Amino acid sequence: MSNTLEAIHLLEDKIQTLLFNYEFLKKENEILLQSSTSFQHKILEQQQLIANQKVAYDTLKIAKTIDGSSTRDTKLKINTLIREIDKCIIQLQE
């Protein structure tokens, strides 16, 4: 009979330990999910910031091309663009 009681007490102790571990892991999982969500939001914000910076960089690059190097280079680029537009118009008319 005492062996049965000891087995029951041992089983109760193991169940209590399992329940404690379950609650601990459940709380830890919630914390990790919150952290994951927070990091995902930060990643999205950083991606938006990068996209905005890329647009600003491209705009600055275009402005530097038009304003910067020399009027000769700018005229050549504009003429190249005009020729490409003319080719497109000719293809559309055909």
Side-chain angles (χ1 to χ4, degrees), residues 30-88:
E30 289 175 9
I31 291 169
L32 291 173
L33 285 173
Q34 290 173 352
S35 296
S36 174
T37 304
S38 173
F39 287 134
Q40 287 174 350
H41 288 300
K42 287 181 183 179
I43 288 171
L44 287 175
E45 289 174 2
Q46 292 298 319
Q47 287 175 339
Q48 289 174 349
L49 180 63
I50 288 170
N52 291 342
Q53 292 297 322
K54 185 176 180 184
V55 168
Y57 172 75
D58 290 340
T59 304
L60 181 61
K61 195 168 143 182
I62 291 170
K64 277 289 194 185
T65 301
I66 292 172
D67 183 43
S69 56
S70 70
T71 56
R72 184 177 186 280
D73 290 338
T74 305
K75 286 180 183 179
L76 289 174
K77 288 179 185 180
I78 290 172
N79 287 336
T80 303
L81 290 172
I82 291 173
R83 276 188 245 115
E84 288 180 16
I85 292 171
D86 288 341
K87 287 178 186 178
C88 291

